[in-house]
PDB file of all heavy atoms in Angstrom:
ATOM      1  N   LYS A   1       9.713  -9.075   5.305  1.00  0.00           N
ATOM      2  CA  LYS A   1      10.953  -8.303   5.228  1.00  0.00           C
ATOM      3  C   LYS A   1      11.461  -8.224   3.796  1.00  0.00           C
ATOM      4  O   LYS A   1      11.891  -7.173   3.325  1.00  0.00           O
ATOM      5  CB  LYS A   1      12.041  -8.952   6.089  1.00  0.00           C
ATOM      6  CG  LYS A   1      12.004  -8.592   7.532  1.00  0.00           C
ATOM      7  CD  LYS A   1      13.199  -9.224   8.211  1.00  0.00           C
ATOM      8  CE  LYS A   1      13.300  -8.875   9.647  1.00  0.00           C
ATOM      9  NZ  LYS A   1      14.443  -9.545  10.288  1.00  0.00           N
ATOM     10  N   LYS A   2      11.401  -9.369   3.092  1.00  0.00           N
ATOM     11  CA  LYS A   2      11.895  -9.412   1.713  1.00  0.00           C
ATOM     12  C   LYS A   2      11.033  -8.574   0.778  1.00  0.00           C
ATOM     13  O   LYS A   2      11.521  -8.026  -0.196  1.00  0.00           O
ATOM     14  CB  LYS A   2      11.920 -10.858   1.209  1.00  0.00           C
ATOM     15  CG  LYS A   2      12.991 -11.701   1.856  1.00  0.00           C
ATOM     16  CD  LYS A   2      12.928 -13.122   1.340  1.00  0.00           C
ATOM     17  CE  LYS A   2      13.912 -14.015   2.062  1.00  0.00           C
ATOM     18  NZ  LYS A   2      13.828 -15.405   1.618  1.00  0.00           N
ATOM     19  N   GLU A   3       9.732  -8.497   1.069  1.00  0.00           N
ATOM     20  CA  GLU A   3       8.813  -7.798   0.177  1.00  0.00           C
ATOM     21  C   GLU A   3       8.716  -6.301   0.441  1.00  0.00           C
ATOM     22  O   GLU A   3       7.968  -5.615  -0.230  1.00  0.00           O
ATOM     23  CB  GLU A   3       7.430  -8.430   0.276  1.00  0.00           C
ATOM     24  CG  GLU A   3       7.368  -9.812  -0.305  1.00  0.00           C
ATOM     25  CD  GLU A   3       5.995 -10.419  -0.209  1.00  0.00           C
ATOM     26  OE1 GLU A   3       5.133  -9.831   0.480  1.00  0.00           O
ATOM     27  OE2 GLU A   3       5.780 -11.476  -0.813  1.00  0.00           O
ATOM     28  N   LYS A   4       9.454  -5.785   1.394  1.00  0.00           N
ATOM     29  CA  LYS A   4       9.386  -4.353   1.701  1.00  0.00           C
ATOM     30  C   LYS A   4      10.261  -3.557   0.733  1.00  0.00           C
ATOM     31  O   LYS A   4      11.158  -2.834   1.127  1.00  0.00           O
ATOM     32  CB  LYS A   4       9.833  -4.085   3.137  1.00  0.00           C
ATOM     33  CG  LYS A   4       8.793  -4.436   4.152  1.00  0.00           C
ATOM     34  CD  LYS A   4       9.182  -3.939   5.512  1.00  0.00           C
ATOM     35  CE  LYS A   4       8.104  -4.241   6.513  1.00  0.00           C
ATOM     36  NZ  LYS A   4       8.435  -3.771   7.835  1.00  0.00           N
ATOM     37  N   SER A   5       9.965  -3.689  -0.530  1.00  0.00           N
ATOM     38  CA  SER A   5      10.701  -2.925  -1.532  1.00  0.00           C
ATOM     39  C   SER A   5       9.755  -1.895  -2.145  1.00  0.00           C
ATOM     40  O   SER A   5       8.600  -2.198  -2.422  1.00  0.00           O
ATOM     41  CB  SER A   5      11.272  -3.848  -2.605  1.00  0.00           C
ATOM     42  OG  SER A   5      10.222  -4.496  -3.285  1.00  0.00           O
ATOM     43  N   PRO A   6      10.240  -0.689  -2.384  1.00  0.00           N
ATOM     44  CA  PRO A   6       9.376   0.367  -2.923  1.00  0.00           C
ATOM     45  C   PRO A   6       9.178   0.265  -4.433  1.00  0.00           C
ATOM     46  O   PRO A   6       9.020   1.241  -5.108  1.00  0.00           O
ATOM     47  CB  PRO A   6      10.120   1.647  -2.549  1.00  0.00           C
ATOM     48  CG  PRO A   6      11.554   1.248  -2.526  1.00  0.00           C
ATOM     49  CD  PRO A   6      11.572  -0.186  -2.059  1.00  0.00           C
ATOM     50  N   SER A   7       9.184  -0.970  -4.982  1.00  0.00           N
ATOM     51  CA  SER A   7       9.078  -1.118  -6.424  1.00  0.00           C
ATOM     52  C   SER A   7       7.649  -0.916  -6.940  1.00  0.00           C
ATOM     53  O   SER A   7       7.454  -0.622  -8.096  1.00  0.00           O
ATOM     54  CB  SER A   7       9.579  -2.510  -6.847  1.00  0.00           C
ATOM     55  OG  SER A   7       8.784  -3.511  -6.237  1.00  0.00           O
ATOM     56  N   GLN A   8       6.649  -1.076  -6.090  1.00  0.00           N
ATOM     57  CA  GLN A   8       5.272  -0.914  -6.535  1.00  0.00           C
ATOM     58  C   GLN A   8       4.842   0.549  -6.440  1.00  0.00           C
ATOM     59  O   GLN A   8       5.220   1.258  -5.520  1.00  0.00           O
ATOM     60  CB  GLN A   8       4.334  -1.768  -5.698  1.00  0.00           C
ATOM     61  CG  GLN A   8       4.550  -3.243  -5.893  1.00  0.00           C
ATOM     62  CD  GLN A   8       3.574  -4.056  -5.064  1.00  0.00           C
ATOM     63  OE1 GLN A   8       2.906  -3.506  -4.192  1.00  0.00           O
ATOM     64  NE2 GLN A   8       3.509  -5.337  -5.327  1.00  0.00           N
ATOM     65  N   ASP A   9       4.042   0.965  -7.391  1.00  0.00           N
ATOM     66  CA  ASP A   9       3.529   2.329  -7.418  1.00  0.00           C
ATOM     67  C   ASP A   9       2.402   2.446  -6.392  1.00  0.00           C
ATOM     68  O   ASP A   9       1.416   1.736  -6.475  1.00  0.00           O
ATOM     69  CB  ASP A   9       3.008   2.650  -8.823  1.00  0.00           C
ATOM     70  CG  ASP A   9       2.578   4.084  -8.966  1.00  0.00           C
ATOM     71  OD1 ASP A   9       2.882   4.885  -8.054  1.00  0.00           O
ATOM     72  OD2 ASP A   9       1.960   4.412  -9.987  1.00  0.00           O
ATOM     73  N   PRO A  10       2.521   3.338  -5.404  1.00  0.00           N
ATOM     74  CA  PRO A  10       1.486   3.440  -4.378  1.00  0.00           C
ATOM     75  C   PRO A  10       0.145   3.941  -4.910  1.00  0.00           C
ATOM     76  O   PRO A  10      -0.874   3.790  -4.268  1.00  0.00           O
ATOM     77  CB  PRO A  10       2.071   4.415  -3.358  1.00  0.00           C
ATOM     78  CG  PRO A  10       3.128   5.161  -4.073  1.00  0.00           C
ATOM     79  CD  PRO A  10       3.616   4.271  -5.172  1.00  0.00           C
ATOM     80  N   LEU A  11       0.121   4.556  -6.108  1.00  0.00           N
ATOM     81  CA  LEU A  11      -1.117   5.067  -6.651  1.00  0.00           C
ATOM     82  C   LEU A  11      -1.971   3.963  -7.266  1.00  0.00           C
ATOM     83  O   LEU A  11      -3.175   4.107  -7.395  1.00  0.00           O
ATOM     84  CB  LEU A  11      -0.830   6.141  -7.712  1.00  0.00           C
ATOM     85  CG  LEU A  11      -0.085   7.379  -7.203  1.00  0.00           C
ATOM     86  CD1 LEU A  11       0.212   8.309  -8.366  1.00  0.00           C
ATOM     87  CD2 LEU A  11      -0.902   8.091  -6.141  1.00  0.00           C
ATOM     88  N   VAL A  12      -1.341   2.861  -7.668  1.00  0.00           N
ATOM     89  CA  VAL A  12      -2.062   1.754  -8.275  1.00  0.00           C
ATOM     90  C   VAL A  12      -2.365   0.751  -7.176  1.00  0.00           C
ATOM     91  O   VAL A  12      -1.495   0.091  -6.647  1.00  0.00           O
ATOM     92  CB  VAL A  12      -1.219   1.095  -9.389  1.00  0.00           C
ATOM     93  CG1 VAL A  12      -1.967  -0.071  -9.988  1.00  0.00           C
ATOM     94  CG2 VAL A  12      -0.859   2.112 -10.448  1.00  0.00           C
ATOM     95  N   TYR A  13      -3.649   0.645  -6.834  1.00  0.00           N
ATOM     96  CA  TYR A  13      -4.070  -0.239  -5.751  1.00  0.00           C
ATOM     97  C   TYR A  13      -5.215  -1.103  -6.249  1.00  0.00           C
ATOM     98  O   TYR A  13      -6.201  -0.598  -6.774  1.00  0.00           O
ATOM     99  CB  TYR A  13      -4.515   0.583  -4.538  1.00  0.00           C
ATOM    100  CG  TYR A  13      -4.981  -0.250  -3.385  1.00  0.00           C
ATOM    101  CD1 TYR A  13      -4.068  -0.915  -2.590  1.00  0.00           C
ATOM    102  CD2 TYR A  13      -6.338  -0.392  -3.117  1.00  0.00           C
ATOM    103  CE1 TYR A  13      -4.493  -1.692  -1.532  1.00  0.00           C
ATOM    104  CE2 TYR A  13      -6.770  -1.159  -2.067  1.00  0.00           C
ATOM    105  CZ  TYR A  13      -5.843  -1.808  -1.272  1.00  0.00           C
ATOM    106  OH  TYR A  13      -6.257  -2.583  -0.223  1.00  0.00           O
ATOM    107  N   ASN A  14      -5.063  -2.398  -6.102  1.00  0.00           N
ATOM    108  CA  ASN A  14      -6.085  -3.313  -6.567  1.00  0.00           C
ATOM    109  C   ASN A  14      -6.416  -4.285  -5.441  1.00  0.00           C
ATOM    110  O   ASN A  14      -5.540  -4.973  -4.936  1.00  0.00           O
ATOM    111  CB  ASN A  14      -5.580  -4.057  -7.803  1.00  0.00           C
ATOM    112  CG  ASN A  14      -6.677  -4.828  -8.494  1.00  0.00           C
ATOM    113  OD1 ASN A  14      -7.747  -5.033  -7.942  1.00  0.00           O
ATOM    114  ND2 ASN A  14      -6.394  -5.261  -9.708  1.00  0.00           N
ATOM    115  N   VAL A  15      -7.662  -4.350  -5.047  1.00  0.00           N
ATOM    116  CA  VAL A  15      -8.087  -5.224  -3.955  1.00  0.00           C
ATOM    117  C   VAL A  15      -7.900  -6.684  -4.340  1.00  0.00           C
ATOM    118  O   VAL A  15      -7.505  -7.509  -3.523  1.00  0.00           O
ATOM    119  CB  VAL A  15      -9.561  -4.947  -3.584  1.00  0.00           C
ATOM    120  CG1 VAL A  15     -10.047  -5.924  -2.540  1.00  0.00           C
ATOM    121  CG2 VAL A  15      -9.721  -3.518  -3.099  1.00  0.00           C
ATOM    122  N   ALA A  16      -8.143  -7.022  -5.595  1.00  0.00           N
ATOM    123  CA  ALA A  16      -7.994  -8.408  -6.045  1.00  0.00           C
ATOM    124  C   ALA A  16      -6.548  -8.869  -5.890  1.00  0.00           C
ATOM    125  O   ALA A  16      -6.296 -10.001  -5.504  1.00  0.00           O
ATOM    126  CB  ALA A  16      -8.450  -8.552  -7.484  1.00  0.00           C
ATOM    127  N   ASP A  17      -5.597  -7.994  -6.184  1.00  0.00           N
ATOM    128  CA  ASP A  17      -4.189  -8.348  -6.024  1.00  0.00           C
ATOM    129  C   ASP A  17      -3.869  -8.617  -4.556  1.00  0.00           C
ATOM    130  O   ASP A  17      -3.123  -9.534  -4.240  1.00  0.00           O
ATOM    131  CB  ASP A  17      -3.279  -7.235  -6.555  1.00  0.00           C
ATOM    132  CG  ASP A  17      -3.315  -7.133  -8.069  1.00  0.00           C
ATOM    133  OD1 ASP A  17      -3.720  -8.126  -8.719  1.00  0.00           O
ATOM    134  OD2 ASP A  17      -2.931  -6.076  -8.598  1.00  0.00           O
ATOM    135  N   GLU A  18      -4.437  -7.810  -3.667  1.00  0.00           N
ATOM    136  CA  GLU A  18      -4.187  -7.990  -2.240  1.00  0.00           C
ATOM    137  C   GLU A  18      -4.755  -9.326  -1.754  1.00  0.00           C
ATOM    138  O   GLU A  18      -4.110 -10.048  -1.006  1.00  0.00           O
ATOM    139  CB  GLU A  18      -4.816  -6.843  -1.455  1.00  0.00           C
ATOM    140  CG  GLU A  18      -4.516  -6.911   0.027  1.00  0.00           C
ATOM    141  CD  GLU A  18      -5.081  -5.723   0.767  1.00  0.00           C
ATOM    142  OE1 GLU A  18      -4.856  -4.586   0.324  1.00  0.00           O
ATOM    143  OE2 GLU A  18      -5.743  -5.946   1.786  1.00  0.00           O
ATOM    144  N   GLU A  19      -5.972  -9.653  -2.192  1.00  0.00           N
ATOM    145  CA  GLU A  19      -6.584 -10.926  -1.803  1.00  0.00           C
ATOM    146  C   GLU A  19      -5.799 -12.099  -2.366  1.00  0.00           C
ATOM    147  O   GLU A  19      -5.600 -13.097  -1.686  1.00  0.00           O
ATOM    148  CB  GLU A  19      -8.040 -10.988  -2.276  1.00  0.00           C
ATOM    149  CG  GLU A  19      -8.954 -10.065  -1.530  1.00  0.00           C
ATOM    150  CD  GLU A  19      -9.038 -10.401  -0.052  1.00  0.00           C
ATOM    151  OE1 GLU A  19      -9.095 -11.583   0.305  1.00  0.00           O
ATOM    152  OE2 GLU A  19      -9.036  -9.457   0.754  1.00  0.00           O
ATOM    153  N   THR A  20      -5.337 -11.994  -3.593  1.00  0.00           N
ATOM    154  CA  THR A  20      -4.546 -13.055  -4.203  1.00  0.00           C
ATOM    155  C   THR A  20      -3.228 -13.220  -3.468  1.00  0.00           C
ATOM    156  O   THR A  20      -2.793 -14.348  -3.233  1.00  0.00           O
ATOM    157  CB  THR A  20      -4.294 -12.743  -5.690  1.00  0.00           C
ATOM    158  OG1 THR A  20      -5.550 -12.556  -6.339  1.00  0.00           O
ATOM    159  CG2 THR A  20      -3.548 -13.863  -6.364  1.00  0.00           C
ATOM    160  N   GLU A  21      -2.601 -12.122  -3.106  1.00  0.00           N
ATOM    161  CA  GLU A  21      -1.348 -12.184  -2.356  1.00  0.00           C
ATOM    162  C   GLU A  21      -1.551 -12.878  -1.021  1.00  0.00           C
ATOM    163  O   GLU A  21      -0.750 -13.717  -0.631  1.00  0.00           O
ATOM    164  CB  GLU A  21      -0.798 -10.777  -2.101  1.00  0.00           C
ATOM    165  CG  GLU A  21       0.159 -10.298  -3.141  1.00  0.00           C
ATOM    166  CD  GLU A  21       0.754  -8.960  -2.759  1.00  0.00           C
ATOM    167  OE1 GLU A  21       1.141  -8.780  -1.591  1.00  0.00           O
ATOM    168  OE2 GLU A  21       0.833  -8.109  -3.648  1.00  0.00           O
ATOM    169  N   TRP A  22      -2.636 -12.545  -0.317  1.00  0.00           N
ATOM    170  CA  TRP A  22      -2.912 -13.160   0.975  1.00  0.00           C
ATOM    171  C   TRP A  22      -3.109 -14.669   0.821  1.00  0.00           C
ATOM    172  O   TRP A  22      -2.572 -15.456   1.591  1.00  0.00           O
ATOM    173  CB  TRP A  22      -4.151 -12.539   1.600  1.00  0.00           C
ATOM    174  CG  TRP A  22      -4.514 -13.169   2.897  1.00  0.00           C
ATOM    175  CD1 TRP A  22      -4.018 -12.842   4.116  1.00  0.00           C
ATOM    176  CD2 TRP A  22      -5.410 -14.254   3.106  1.00  0.00           C
ATOM    177  NE1 TRP A  22      -4.568 -13.648   5.082  1.00  0.00           N
ATOM    178  CE2 TRP A  22      -5.414 -14.542   4.487  1.00  0.00           C
ATOM    179  CE3 TRP A  22      -6.198 -15.026   2.279  1.00  0.00           C
ATOM    180  CZ2 TRP A  22      -6.188 -15.547   5.048  1.00  0.00           C
ATOM    181  CZ3 TRP A  22      -6.970 -16.028   2.835  1.00  0.00           C
ATOM    182  CH2 TRP A  22      -6.957 -16.271   4.205  1.00  0.00           C
ATOM    183  N   LEU A  23      -3.873 -15.063  -0.185  1.00  0.00           N
ATOM    184  CA  LEU A  23      -4.128 -16.481  -0.419  1.00  0.00           C
ATOM    185  C   LEU A  23      -2.845 -17.208  -0.794  1.00  0.00           C
ATOM    186  O   LEU A  23      -2.575 -18.303  -0.296  1.00  0.00           O
ATOM    187  CB  LEU A  23      -5.177 -16.658  -1.516  1.00  0.00           C
ATOM    188  CG  LEU A  23      -5.569 -18.092  -1.847  1.00  0.00           C
ATOM    189  CD1 LEU A  23      -6.168 -18.774  -0.623  1.00  0.00           C
ATOM    190  CD2 LEU A  23      -6.532 -18.118  -3.014  1.00  0.00           C
ATOM    191  N   GLN A  24      -2.038 -16.613  -1.652  1.00  0.00           N
ATOM    192  CA  GLN A  24      -0.764 -17.227  -2.039  1.00  0.00           C
ATOM    193  C   GLN A  24       0.153 -17.373  -0.831  1.00  0.00           C
ATOM    194  O   GLN A  24       0.798 -18.405  -0.657  1.00  0.00           O
ATOM    195  CB  GLN A  24      -0.079 -16.411  -3.128  1.00  0.00           C
ATOM    196  CG  GLN A  24      -0.732 -16.545  -4.482  1.00  0.00           C
ATOM    197  CD  GLN A  24      -0.088 -15.646  -5.516  1.00  0.00           C
ATOM    198  OE1 GLN A  24       0.690 -14.758  -5.186  1.00  0.00           O
ATOM    199  NE2 GLN A  24      -0.409 -15.880  -6.775  1.00  0.00           N
ATOM    200  N   SER A  25       0.207 -16.361   0.005  1.00  0.00           N
ATOM    201  CA  SER A  25       1.041 -16.420   1.204  1.00  0.00           C
ATOM    202  C   SER A  25       0.563 -17.518   2.141  1.00  0.00           C
ATOM    203  O   SER A  25       1.366 -18.289   2.668  1.00  0.00           O
ATOM    204  CB  SER A  25       1.016 -15.087   1.946  1.00  0.00           C
ATOM    205  OG  SER A  25       1.535 -14.071   1.159  1.00  0.00           O
ATOM    206  N   PHE A  26      -0.753 -17.592   2.337  1.00  0.00           N
ATOM    207  CA  PHE A  26      -1.312 -18.612   3.209  1.00  0.00           C
ATOM    208  C   PHE A  26      -1.004 -20.011   2.685  1.00  0.00           C
ATOM    209  O   PHE A  26      -0.568 -20.895   3.436  1.00  0.00           O
ATOM    210  CB  PHE A  26      -2.815 -18.420   3.356  1.00  0.00           C
ATOM    211  CG  PHE A  26      -3.481 -19.517   4.117  1.00  0.00           C
ATOM    212  CD1 PHE A  26      -3.349 -19.598   5.492  1.00  0.00           C
ATOM    213  CD2 PHE A  26      -4.208 -20.489   3.454  1.00  0.00           C
ATOM    214  CE1 PHE A  26      -3.946 -20.623   6.207  1.00  0.00           C
ATOM    215  CE2 PHE A  26      -4.803 -21.522   4.156  1.00  0.00           C
ATOM    216  CZ  PHE A  26      -4.672 -21.590   5.538  1.00  0.00           C
ATOM    217  N   LEU A  27      -1.228 -20.235   1.391  1.00  0.00           N
ATOM    218  CA  LEU A  27      -0.985 -21.552   0.816  1.00  0.00           C
ATOM    219  C   LEU A  27       0.492 -21.920   0.848  1.00  0.00           C
ATOM    220  O   LEU A  27       0.847 -23.080   1.081  1.00  0.00           O
ATOM    221  CB  LEU A  27      -1.529 -21.615  -0.608  1.00  0.00           C
ATOM    222  CG  LEU A  27      -3.049 -21.556  -0.733  1.00  0.00           C
ATOM    223  CD1 LEU A  27      -3.474 -21.510  -2.192  1.00  0.00           C
ATOM    224  CD2 LEU A  27      -3.693 -22.732  -0.020  1.00  0.00           C
ATOM    225  N   LEU A  28       1.356 -20.947   0.636  1.00  0.00           N
ATOM    226  CA  LEU A  28       2.794 -21.205   0.719  1.00  0.00           C
ATOM    227  C   LEU A  28       3.203 -21.591   2.134  1.00  0.00           C
ATOM    228  O   LEU A  28       3.955 -22.552   2.336  1.00  0.00           O
ATOM    229  CB  LEU A  28       3.583 -19.976   0.261  1.00  0.00           C
ATOM    230  CG  LEU A  28       5.102 -20.109   0.303  1.00  0.00           C
ATOM    231  CD1 LEU A  28       5.559 -21.153  -0.701  1.00  0.00           C
ATOM    232  CD2 LEU A  28       5.759 -18.773   0.021  1.00  0.00           C
ATOM    233  N   LEU A  29       2.702 -20.872   3.128  1.00  0.00           N
ATOM    234  CA  LEU A  29       3.008 -21.206   4.523  1.00  0.00           C
ATOM    235  C   LEU A  29       2.461 -22.586   4.889  1.00  0.00           C
ATOM    236  O   LEU A  29       3.129 -23.365   5.563  1.00  0.00           O
ATOM    237  CB  LEU A  29       2.411 -20.162   5.463  1.00  0.00           C
ATOM    238  CG  LEU A  29       3.127 -18.829   5.516  1.00  0.00           C
ATOM    239  CD1 LEU A  29       2.311 -17.838   6.335  1.00  0.00           C
ATOM    240  CD2 LEU A  29       4.499 -18.980   6.095  1.00  0.00           C
ATOM    241  N   LEU A  30       1.260 -22.882   4.435  1.00  0.00           N
ATOM    242  CA  LEU A  30       0.664 -24.188   4.703  1.00  0.00           C
ATOM    243  C   LEU A  30       1.499 -25.302   4.065  1.00  0.00           C
ATOM    244  O   LEU A  30       1.812 -26.310   4.709  1.00  0.00           O
ATOM    245  CB  LEU A  30      -0.765 -24.227   4.175  1.00  0.00           C
ATOM    246  CG  LEU A  30      -1.535 -25.527   4.393  1.00  0.00           C
ATOM    247  CD1 LEU A  30      -1.748 -25.768   5.888  1.00  0.00           C
ATOM    248  CD2 LEU A  30      -2.854 -25.471   3.664  1.00  0.00           C
TER     249      LEU A  30
END
């Protein structure tokens, strides 16, 4: 909910950023 901000440019997409975000989220929850 907190991260649903339109601050990121939808044209710039990086798979590495998505994987890093997932790992960071998982480790934070753990």
Side-chain angles (χ1 to χ4, degrees):
K1 276 184 177 178
K2 289 178 185 178
E3 291 180 350
K4 283 190 177 180
S5 63
S7 61
Q8 294 181 348
D9 185 11
L11 298 176
V12 179
Y13 179 76
N14 191 346
V15 175
D17 289 340
E18 184 177 311
E19 290 298 319
T20 304
E21 268 185 44
W22 178 86
L23 181 61
Q24 287 176 347
S25 298
F26 174 75
L27 292 175
L28 180 66
L29 285 172
L30 181 65

